[in-house]
Amino acid sequence: MRWTLKPQPDIVTQEKLAQELGIDSFLAGLLVQRGVDAFAKAKSFFRPDLNELHDPFLMKDMDVAVKRIQKAIGNNENILVYGDYDVDGTTSVALMSTFLLSFYDRVATYIPDR
């Protein structure tokens, strides 16, 4: 695997953003490299609005998954949230199981061990 470095941010934009946000110039540079180059974009980045999220039903078979979870709850079945051991895997397991456990108590989690 090769690392692809983003080009250095425009220093004027970086310094302006750092001043507007009251943050370190280095952090502002990281934001600019990710397309966050103005106060409004930073606000949206750090405090996103739920209306800006993608429709989860655009994900393949999301409707099938939702129906299966609804069926499991309706039939009082156990639900196992199976994840991966990487950062996004453990985070998604934590989010999904926390959500389900907020209204249904028959939820367990599994994250495989290398």
Side-chain angles (χ1 to χ4, degrees):
M1 177 186 287
R2 288 193 88 126
W3 288 89
T4 303
L5 300 177
K6 292 194 177 271
Q8 290 295 313
D10 174 65
I11 192 70
V12 173
T13 305
Q14 177 179 336
E15 292 301 325
K16 182 180 178 207
L17 185 64
Q19 189 173 28
E20 287 177 345
L21 298 178
I23 61 174
D24 183 78
S25 179
F26 180 77
L27 179 56
L30 293 175
L31 290 169
V32 172
Q33 285 180 314
R34 285 156 182 78
V36 179
D37 57 4
F39 182 86
K41 287 182 182 178
K43 182 178 178 184
S44 177
F45 181 80
F46 287 113
R47 294 188 182 131
D49 186 308
L50 289 178
N51 294 323
E52 295 173 6
L53 294 178
H54 292 286
D55 180 357
F57 285 93
L58 295 174
M59 187 180 297
K60 185 179 185 300
D61 291 333
M62 179 61 79
D63 57 331
V64 176
V66 169
K67 287 176 186 171
R68 182 60 184 102
I69 292 170
Q70 289 173 330
K71 179 181 177 185
I73 292 170
N75 292 337
N76 204 32
E77 299 174 22
N78 293 326
I79 297 175
L80 177 66
V81 182
Y82 189 101
D84 199 1
Y85 48 80
D86 57 11
V87 172
D88 59 331
T90 55
T91 302
S92 61
V93 166
L95 286 169
M96 185 68 178
S97 61
T98 300
F99 169 73
L100 289 171
L101 284 166
S102 71
F103 61 88
Y104 189 68
D105 64 353
R106 299 189 70 171
V107 178
T109 60
Y110 179 77
I111 297 174
D113 187 6
R114 285 188 171 194

